Amino acid sequence: MADETTYKDKKVITIGIVSELTGLSERQIRYYEERKLIFPERTPGGSRKYSFADVELLMEIANKIEDGVQTHEIRKEMIRAQNNLNKEVKRKMIQGQLNAQFGIRNGPFSK
Amino acid sequence: MADETTYKDKKVITIGIVSELTGLSERQIRYYEERKLIFPERTPGGSRKYSFADVELLMEIANKIEDGVQTHEIRKEMIRAQNNLNKEVKRKMIQGQLNAQFGIRNGPFSK
DNA sequence: CGTGTAAGGAATTCTGACACG
DNA sequence: CGTGTAAGGAATTCTGACACG
């Protein structure tokens, strides 16, 4: 499940390549960062580094922008989605604790 | 099986990042290319682009070099491995043809 | 608001060569 | 043989700003 050999999240792609992969201009990519939609890492020299996950996210962002959604709205959507994910993870961790303490059964709350 | 969402083989990493990931100097990385051990793509401007698979291969190469294996030997090993792989693929394709024509059974040659 | 562009500078990468051995 | 390095140049990336709207 937690595949440690995943390259999707390693930030290793420079902005020029990302521009080619997404079809977005470097200006657009930097602007979406300014609007807090994307968070590249940096080399010691200051060059941005993106992951494949970032590339995919950028393409989703581009689609929404095309649909007339403003960056501020997109940001709110992303925060909402992130909160839901956090809640989900927390719920699963608590359930995991319970299972560990009381054993795994198949009651209505064990899923 | 043939996972199309694999990022492992996309050539998107520049040499500086590869150097950080592998711990090898750019000089070493370029030299291994000169010796035909690694085959990066190029940007229109001429910069090298590597994949995660390349990064892994480079680390294997580095290990062998440390063990005193010469680049020429490493190259021969790689060619041998590639040939075996090709044979394997060909064998499977032929078997696939046979299965398609005569149906799938569990005889001694169907594996 | 989102994006293009010219500007100046800094970081990155490239090649071919000399050096050591 | 494998690798470091200085050299000069070209490609890449960075930031802040003006422009349009």
Side-chain angles (χ1 to χ4, degrees):
Chain A
M1 224 238 136
D3 185 10
E4 291 315 325
T5 315
T6 186
Y7 304 102
K8 193 172 179 182
D9 295 308
K10 298 213 81 176
K11 309 246 180 182
V12 296
I13 317 177
T14 49
I15 197 166
I17 312 271
V18 172
S19 174
E20 281 195 10
L21 293 175
T22 60
L24 299 170
S25 68
E26 299 186 7
R27 178 68 166 99
Q28 289 174 303
I29 297 169
R30 293 196 191 100
Y31 180 67
Y32 301 152
E33 176 183 0
E34 189 182 316
R35 304 315 306 272
K36 315 247 178 146
L37 301 181
I38 192 95
F39 304 92
E41 292 181 359
R42 298 276 184 151
T43 66
S47 294
R48 275 165 265 248
K49 295 186 295 183
Y50 303 85
S51 66
F52 281 111
D54 289 333
V55 169
E56 292 192 357
L57 180 52
L58 279 168
M59 301 184 84
E60 287 180 39
I61 291 169
N63 284 335
K64 291 182 183 170
I65 296 274
E66 274 187 74
D67 293 348
V69 185
Q70 294 197 343
T71 55
H72 189 252
E73 282 308 317
I74 298 175
R75 178 156 158 71
K76 282 197 279 190
E77 282 177 37
M78 286 175 52
I79 291 173
R80 251 179 274 133
Q82 188 55 55
N83 285 340
N84 288 338
L85 233 173
N86 288 157
K87 255 185 266 178
E88 183 73 3
V89 168
K90 202 175 298 177
R91 193 182 65 70
K92 283 192 177 165
M93 286 183 64
I94 290 172
Q95 189 57 54
Q97 299 277 79
L98 292 176
N99 284 342
Q101 282 197 260
F102 303 112
I104 297 169
R105 66 208 73 180
N106 283 317
F109 300 102
S110 67
K111 209 286 178 101
Chain B
M1 223 239 135
D3 185 11
E4 290 315 326
T5 316
T6 187
Y7 304 102
K8 193 171 177 181
D9 296 309
K10 298 213 83 176
K11 309 245 180 183
V12 296
I13 316 178
T14 50
I15 197 167
I17 313 273
V18 172
S19 175
E20 283 195 10
L21 292 175
T22 60
L24 298 171
S25 69
E26 299 185 8
R27 179 69 166 98
Q28 288 174 305
I29 298 169
R30 292 196 192 98
Y31 180 68
Y32 300 151
E33 176 183 0
E34 189 181 317
R35 304 316 306 272
K36 315 247 178 139
L37 301 181
I38 192 95
F39 305 93
E41 292 181 357
R42 299 276 183 152
T43 66
S47 295
R48 274 167 263 248
K49 295 185 296 182
Y50 302 84
S51 67
F52 281 110
D54 290 332
V55 169
E56 293 193 355
L57 179 53
L58 280 169
M59 301 184 84
E60 286 181 40
I61 292 170
N63 284 335
K64 291 181 183 170
I65 295 273
E66 274 187 74
D67 292 349
V69 185
Q70 294 198 342
T71 56
H72 189 250
E73 282 308 316
I74 298 176
R75 179 157 158 70
K76 281 198 280 191
E77 282 178 34
M78 287 174 52
I79 291 173
R80 251 180 273 132
Q82 186 56 55
N83 283 341
N84 287 339
L85 233 173
N86 287 159
K87 256 186 263 176
E88 183 73 1
V89 167
K90 202 175 297 176
R91 193 182 64 72
K92 283 191 175 165
M93 287 183 65
I94 289 172
Q95 189 56 53
Q97 301 275 79
L98 291 176
N99 284 342
Q101 281 197 260
F102 303 113
I104 297 169
R105 66 207 73 179
N106 285 318
F109 300 103
S110 65
K111 208 267 172 126

